[in-house]
Amino acid sequence: MTLSYVVEPGGSLGGMVRVPGDKSISHRSIMLGSLAQGVTRVSGFLEGEDALATMNAFRAMGVRIEGPDRGEVVIHGVGMHGLKAPAGVLDCGNSGTSMRLLSGLLAGQGFEATLTGDDSLRQRPMNRVIVPLGSMGADIGAAENGRPPLVIRAVEGLHGIDYLLPVASAQVKSAVLLAGLYAAGRTCVTEPAPTRDHTERMLEAFGYRVERDGKRVCVVGGGRLLASDIAVPADISSAAFFMVGASIAPGSDILLADVGINPTRIGVIEILRLMGADLTLHNQRKLGGEPVADIRVRHAPLNGVRIPEELVPLAIDEFPAVFVAAANARGETILSGAEELRVKESDRIQVMADGLRALGAQAEPTPDGMRIRGGAYQGGQVASHGDHRIAMALAMAALNAGGPITIRDCANVATSFPGFVGLANTAGLRIGER
Ligand code: S3P
């Protein structure tokens, strides 16, 4: 039995909403907390399946972790060399972040570990981490074409590299830097465009020196991490669905509380503003080394835009939602330079084009993006292909649809946004499960 959403058309979004904790930061809090000396207390932790997969992996390597209990997690760090060989395979579920960051972190541990995942994750490319980690001295075996499962074997030691990232990917950057903590000498990564820097920020918060110079970041191996409490902001990637919903639905006026506005994550705010959205930031402050704000979003007529390519890595997870905004905008929206969308939890270019077209919207997929002409669309049946963000984006599309939208295969929304249906209903979306 698969879970479907049925979303009635119309309505508007309002009230105050705090979406769950940031997924990227939640993963990293478990990883660095486990390797630190001392006790790390995390609040606002995302109790979604992806972050829980990371938590379970560290428990399987001997780390005592209490919780999660209403977002509170207590990690009893074992120090840089305190992890134990896991008794079984480490299951990363649907989570690319777990698998890629763990690959780097485990490469220098001195024991063997196997990482696997669900059907979607086992189709995703891992050579992007296997290649640089291999050049540091790691020994990582994979199935055909560098697909999972990955077998990370014990090696004598790693050495630092100077790596020019071929794709703008925070997961690859982080994998190399985490391996670099265990490598002899200096490990540097240069990115083609800025990507999320939560790993760098959290390493610094745990007392590890990180050398940052524009697009280049370096660490010197052999240091240590000191436990540090972490308050996880609300995830801007989850807030994005409500930003788009409120922008497109007449009468909407919603306040999204405590949203992380790290400059490497705010592409969606910039894109929506370019389209004419009415988004204002209030109460800007710092939470656990990360900037946060309350974001007020009021309905406003949107216009189609050509999305600047430099914003693509800064909004990489938000394009399913942005496509829904585009389908509701006047004129054409053009996205290019976003081929990475084809290797996310689903092929987000094809799957979103199929979904929007099933509703009668005009969407033309291209190899590296999409052209969408806004206008009226109907209800209908759409497939999320088990991709959490596709399911939530298409749910918001119902706010302006001509009839109900049924979205199939929505169970994976629990990977990043547990409680989505309840929270969305409270805010005004007429969504039910079947
Ligand atoms: C993430 C990086 C991004 C993003 C993913 C989370 C991270 O992936 O899509 O959801 O936490 O580092 P890429 O590095 O593949 O772009």
Side-chain angles (χ1 to χ4, degrees):
M1 279 292 284
T2 65
L3 177 72
S4 293
Y5 289 164
V6 181
V7 198
E8 297 301 325
S12 60
L13 299 185
M16 189 173 100
V17 164
R18 201 226 195 241
V19 301
D22 187 278
K23 184 151 74 71
S24 294
I25 297 174
S26 295
H27 281 296
R28 288 158 172 82
S29 71
I30 298 291
M31 294 180 185
L32 299 193
S34 293
L35 295 175
Q37 295 171 9
V39 176
T40 290
R41 286 171 202 280
V42 186
S43 58
F45 182 78
L46 169 66
E47 298 185 28
E49 289 166 7
D50 278 14
L52 295 175
T54 291
M55 180 183 275
N56 288 335
F58 281 87
R59 282 186 172 138
M61 293 187 286
V63 182
R64 189 155 78 83
I65 304 174
E66 298 170 61
D69 178 13
R70 279 161 294 175
E72 306 276 326
V73 175
V74 180
I75 309 163
H76 298 266
V78 295
M80 294 300 288
H81 298 282
L83 295 180
K84 297 195 173 65
V89 170
L90 301 174
D91 187 355
C92 299
N94 192 241
S95 173
T97 309
S98 305
M99 184 167 287
R100 297 204 178 107
L101 270 60
L102 273 169
S103 301
L105 198 148
L106 294 179
Q109 292 298 331
F111 55 72
E112 181 171 312
T114 300
L115 301 173
T116 193
D118 69 6
D119 291 348
S120 155
L121 185 54
R122 279 186 280 108
Q123 298 302 318
R124 295 182 65 189
M126 295 298 150
N127 277 336
R128 54 181 61 197
V129 290
I130 295 172
V131 168
L133 295 173
S135 69
M136 298 176 77
D139 179 0
I140 303 180
E144 220 175 311
N145 292 327
R147 292 328 197 235
L150 302 183
V151 182
I152 300 161
R153 301 186 191 94
V155 291
E156 275 302 308
L158 302 179
H159 51 83
I161 55 169
D162 199 338
Y163 192 58
L164 182 60
L165 275 182
V167 281
S169 163
Q171 292 181 354
V172 180
K173 171 178 65 173
S174 300
V176 173
L177 292 175
L178 291 172
L181 304 182
Y182 291 91
R186 179 178 266 99
T187 297
C188 298
V189 180
T190 304
E191 30 186 19
T195 67
R196 67 192 67 195
D197 66 350
H198 305 300
T199 301
E200 296 91 306
R201 283 176 188 251
M202 205 180 289
L203 281 171
E204 286 170 340
F206 278 77
Y208 209 101
R209 202 171 119 74
V210 179
E211 300 159 23
R212 302 172 72 170
D213 182 11
K215 290 174 182 165
R216 185 175 157 91
V217 50
C218 305
V219 294
V220 175
R224 59 184 191 152
L225 298 167
L226 299 175
S228 167
D229 292 350
I230 306 234
V232 182
D235 197 329
I236 189 169
S237 297
S238 297
F241 304 108
F242 293 88
M243 293 180 197
V244 168
S247 296
I248 66 172
S252 295
D253 183 354
I254 195 168
L255 190 69
L256 301 163
D258 301 338
V259 179
I261 51 161
N262 179 312
T264 60
R265 294 286 297 281
I266 55 170
V268 64
I269 295 178
E270 299 192 19
I271 293 168
L272 289 175
R273 280 185 170 157
L274 286 175
M275 298 177 80
D278 180 356
L279 276 102
T280 49
L281 271 48
H282 305 270
N283 192 16
Q284 291 196 38
R285 60 211 184 270
K286 277 246 172 144
L287 197 61
E290 295 274 353
V292 299
D294 303 329
I295 303 179
R296 184 175 183 188
V297 190
R298 280 174 283 193
H299 166 69
L302 301 181
N303 293 306
V305 292
R306 176 179 275 281
I307 297 172
E309 287 197 4
E310 65 271 18
L311 293 181
V312 169
L314 310 182
I316 194 66
D317 289 338
E318 286 66 76
F319 285 104
V322 168
F323 294 152
V324 169
N328 284 278
R330 227 184 71 200
E332 193 174 43
T333 294
I334 302 171
L335 171 69
S336 59
E339 49 278 277
E340 274 295 298
L341 293 180
R342 293 199 178 271
V343 292
K344 293 294 179 186
E345 287 84 327
S346 70
D347 175 345
R348 287 182 173 160
I349 292 174
Q350 193 60 48
V351 171
M352 278 305 296
D354 291 346
L356 290 172
R357 289 162 86 151
L359 303 176
Q362 288 186 50
E364 202 59 56
T366 62
D368 67 340
M370 186 108 80
R371 286 172 173 268
I372 295 173
R373 181 164 289 282
Y377 54 87
Q378 303 306 308
Q381 291 242 358
V382 293
S384 79
H385 290 261
D387 185 328
H388 54 138
R389 300 201 198 280
I390 304 279
M392 290 184 274
L394 290 172
M396 290 297 171
L399 288 159
N400 274 347
I405 298 181
T406 300
I407 308 159
R408 291 190 302 276
D409 209 2
C410 296
N412 277 341
V413 166
T415 61
S416 69
F417 201 145
F420 171 71
V421 167
L423 204 60
N425 258 307
T426 311
L429 191 69
R430 297 161 183 167
I431 179 170
E433 294 181 347
R434 196 167 66 197

